[in-house]
Amino acid sequence: MSKFITSSIGKKVVMSLSGLFLMTFLMVHLTVNCFLFAGAEAFNTAAHFMVTNPIIKVVEPILALGFVVHIAWSIWITIQNMMARPVRYNKTNQGKNSSFASRNMFVLGGLVLTFLALHIANFYVKIKFTHEIGAVSYAGVEMHDTYTLVTSLFTIWWYDVIYVIGAILLGYHLSHGFWSAFQTIGFSNQIWRKRLTVIGYIFALVIAGGFAIIPTYFYFVQ
Amino acid sequence: MNLKLKVWRQKNAKAKGGFEIYNISNISPDTSFLEMLDILNEQLINEGKEPVAFDHDCREGICGMCSLFINGRAHGPDDDVTTCQLHMRKFKDGETVTIEPWRSAAFPVIKDLVVEREAFEKIQQAGGYVSVNTGGVPDGNAIAIPKEDADEAMDAAACIGCGACVATCKNSSAMLFVAAKVSQFAKLPQGKPEAARRAKAMVAKMDELGFGGCTNTGACEAECPKGISISHIARLNREYLVAKLKD
Ligand code: HEM
Ligand code: SF4
Ligand code: FES
């Protein structure tokens, strides 16, 4: 097994599986976020359900590990791939043979990571550590007022711009990543390749669009 | 046609190398790219200069010997052809044409535009074959093979081992070549008994020789003169995973 993880294909499988796991997380995350449109009580209750749910307590460290593995392996792969061509070409014309996203996964991922750091500082740190968050109670159950924390951040226009850019970068990463993850684990052929590419584009669009609409919406309605 | 050629010149594997500019005139658009280089070399010899070294053999697109990274693309601007099958009509009169050798840690430059592609042979020797006991030639229809499987195998077998996939890949990955060599046997009854060993041995050799990893950009497929599909890479991944899981 150890030889597998360090082989070229094995390393890619690690990227693929961690990427697939992160994508399922994104779907759950976006679903919860959609409760924002249903008002304070709905969103706060959904958020409360998420933080108190025992399954989530187990999944949270796995998620963190998923990110760490995905990022660590991406650095490893990228360095090795750069070393495979010590002398660069004088002239290249890669736009002719491959997509922008496929050639810039590391840059896109790195930018997503930068956004992620800000995002965690905005919400996770405030909720978990500095407790800069109010409380509300519905039908006698006391919980964090996550709704106000989120919506008040989105009244600041430049935060909205950053969040929209973050969503678009993530969308680009996934426009290649989705299909690529299946190709890596061998789940593709002439027919499925076309299908997975289309599904991947739709997935990337839903994720990017979904995460971009939320800050935009709250900027304009408030 | 008149052209300005920007050609990589390098005395030997150890030398530093650099670009030289040559002007060449009165080239017919129907000249092949390698004939154009022949004309350049004649000109250089007449001037008492060292001709440009480049690889070639069959000049009909079947041997995989010719190479060259022309204007930023492996085998030049035409699709689905080798450099020997490329013609000057694909260029514009007065154009500057940049000609570089394949660039990859696993394909060191030997001289000018010639690179050492022995790494491919080593990968082949690691497992790109079917072990058979010699004897009488088996009857043509003794082993029935479904048409689709035969077609898939044949498509993969079209690989001529030119190395354009490695040259064009941003990671210098040899995955398309290895995938073609694994795939041409994977679906055939003759290839199946050794499938697991073959996939493991060839991938291990490829990794050892300093090729990069595949990031599924698809550039190899776009530049491969034989149009080998990256679906074969998905098959290689599958073959390799299954083989490793069985270990
Ligand atoms: C929510 C966040 C993320 C998701 C859902 C995600 C998802 C994916 C997926 C599905 C792939 C395709 C895997 C494959 O080709 O087999 C991928 C590839 C990649 N990711 Fe991410 N990713 C995320 C964040 C990041 C971050 C933060 C980085 C790092 C700095 C990163 C760097 C990369 C790189 C370099 C690749 C290409 C690897 C390769 O093709 O070999 N990603 N990602
Ligand atoms: S896969 Fe295509 S580009 Fe690569 S060596 Fe074979 S024929 Fe050349
Ligand atoms: S010289 Fe044989 S393929 Fe070009």
Side-chain angles (χ1 to χ4, degrees):
Chain A
M1 259 327 249
S2 68
K3 275 226 186 98
F4 173 73
I5 298 287
T6 55
S7 71
S8 58
I9 295 179
K11 283 196 288 250
K12 273 289 298 190
V13 169
V14 171
M15 283 306 288
S16 163
L17 296 180
S18 58
L20 287 169
F21 174 64
L22 293 180
M23 289 196 297
T24 50
F25 150 74
L26 285 180
M27 286 193 282
V28 176
H29 191 341
L30 185 60
T31 311
V32 175
N33 285 11
C34 285
F35 281 93
L36 280 165
F37 296 120
E41 182 170 350
F43 179 68
N44 281 334
T45 313
H48 183 69
F49 171 77
M50 290 307 283
V51 289
T52 50
N53 192 327
I55 299 175
I56 300 298
K57 285 224 163 69
V58 179
V59 172
E60 206 175 73
I62 304 178
L63 178 64
L65 186 73
F67 270 106
V68 171
V69 166
H70 192 75
I71 294 163
W73 256 254
S74 81
I75 296 171
W76 187 10
I77 285 177
T78 306
I79 291 174
Q80 270 195 333
N81 288 348
M82 284 170 75
M83 275 168 22
R85 174 161 299 139
V87 184
R88 315 250 115 205
Y89 287 109
N90 179 265
K91 190 170 178 190
T92 53
N93 201 344
Q94 289 171 317
K96 280 260 185 236
N97 56 36
S98 54
S99 72
F100 173 83
S102 74
R103 277 177 277 126
N104 294 286
M105 287 301 272
F106 189 66
V107 177
L108 290 168
L111 291 171
V112 168
L113 184 64
T114 318
F115 166 75
L116 210 65
L118 175 78
H119 179 52
I120 287 174
N122 284 157
F123 298 120
Y124 192 79
V125 171
K126 285 190 182 162
I127 297 167
K128 284 265 176 170
F129 302 109
T130 59
H131 305 294
E132 294 167 64
I133 183 169
V136 282
S137 70
Y138 302 107
V141 184
E142 186 162 321
M143 59 185 75
H144 287 317
D145 188 6
T146 320
Y147 183 84
T148 307
L149 181 69
V150 174
T151 53
S152 60
L153 184 82
F154 290 157
T155 57
I156 308 163
W157 71 269
W158 55 271
Y159 265 119
D160 296 305
V161 172
I162 294 174
Y163 271 72
V164 170
I165 293 173
I168 293 170
L169 291 170
L170 184 59
Y172 260 112
H173 194 75
L174 299 178
S175 71
H176 174 69
F178 185 93
W179 166 77
S180 179
F182 288 96
Q183 167 87 356
T184 301
I185 51 173
F187 190 87
S188 185
N189 57 28
Q190 303 275 19
I191 300 159
W192 273 98
R193 174 180 177 185
K194 293 194 198 97
R195 291 179 186 160
L196 288 167
T197 319
V198 173
I199 298 169
Y201 283 144
I202 295 170
F203 181 79
L205 206 66
V206 168
I207 294 287
F211 282 115
I213 283 169
I214 293 165
T216 316
Y217 174 83
F218 284 98
Y219 179 73
F220 286 110
V221 296
Q222 289 183 80
Chain B
M1 295 173 81
N2 299 326
L3 297 159
K4 195 163 131 191
L5 305 176
K6 190 175 162 192
V7 185
W8 182 263
R9 302 300 310 261
Q10 183 172 335
K11 266 210 167 57
N12 54 49
K14 298 245 163 55
K16 199 161 169 295
F19 284 100
E20 291 280 340
I21 309 279
Y22 302 108
N23 288 307
I24 187 161
S25 42
N26 286 327
I27 297 292
S28 150
D30 296 330
T31 317
S32 84
F33 197 85
L34 296 186
E35 281 165 349
M36 185 275 294
L37 287 181
D38 291 338
I39 295 169
L40 169 71
N41 277 346
E42 228 161 280
Q43 194 177 306
L44 289 176
I45 291 166
N46 285 339
E47 291 167 13
K49 291 182 190 151
E50 174 88 8
V52 179
F54 61 90
D55 265 329
H56 61 102
D57 189 12
C58 72
R59 297 213 178 188
E60 52 185 17
I62 53 166
C63 75
M65 197 61 205
C66 58
S67 55
L68 306 185
F69 210 71
I70 304 159
N71 278 349
R73 294 183 67 189
H75 293 303
D78 207 357
D79 290 325
D80 293 330
V81 295
T82 51
T83 296
C84 59
Q85 300 263 285
L86 172 69
H87 289 84
M88 297 316 291
R89 50 181 167 269
K90 294 286 164 185
F91 298 86
K92 283 195 276 307
D93 189 28
E95 197 177 339
T96 301
V97 183
T98 307
I99 311 169
E100 300 175 74
W102 285 172
R103 295 284 189 203
S104 162
F107 288 166
V109 175
I110 304 171
K111 187 179 169 134
D112 296 340
L113 302 168
V114 178
V115 298
E116 177 60 86
R117 279 171 285 186
E118 195 192 14
F120 270 7
E121 261 106 85
K122 288 185 181 154
I123 295 174
Q124 277 289 61
Q125 284 157 9
Y129 49 80
V130 173
S131 308
V132 282
N133 296 320
T134 48
V137 179
D139 184 48
N141 289 323
I143 307 169
I145 298 166
K147 175 85 167 76
E148 303 84 62
D149 292 354
D151 284 350
E152 273 281 305
M154 201 59 200
D155 287 348
C159 169
I160 53 175
C162 65
C165 42
V166 175
T168 205
C169 173
K170 78 175 183 56
N171 312 317
S172 286
S173 169
M175 280 290 273
L176 192 64
F177 167 76
V178 177
K181 298 302 172 196
V182 164
S183 215
Q184 67 183 353
F185 296 128
K187 296 209 85 175
L188 301 179
Q190 296 94 328
K192 283 204 174 112
E194 291 172 294
R197 189 190 55 75
R198 179 180 307 116
K200 281 187 290 185
M202 291 180 81
V203 169
K205 192 46 104 183
M206 165 182 88
D207 289 354
E208 179 196 316
L209 293 170
F211 292 101
C214 175
T215 57
N216 304 330
T217 68
C220 51
E221 167 189 82
E223 300 295 6
C224 170
K226 298 295 153 186
I228 307 279
S229 162
I230 53 174
S231 296
H232 295 294
I233 296 186
R235 178 173 296 112
L236 170 61
N237 290 337
R238 212 151 57 224
E239 293 275 324
Y240 185 76
L241 274 171
V242 170
K244 280 288 183 183
L245 285 173
K246 279 193 195 144
D247 269 1

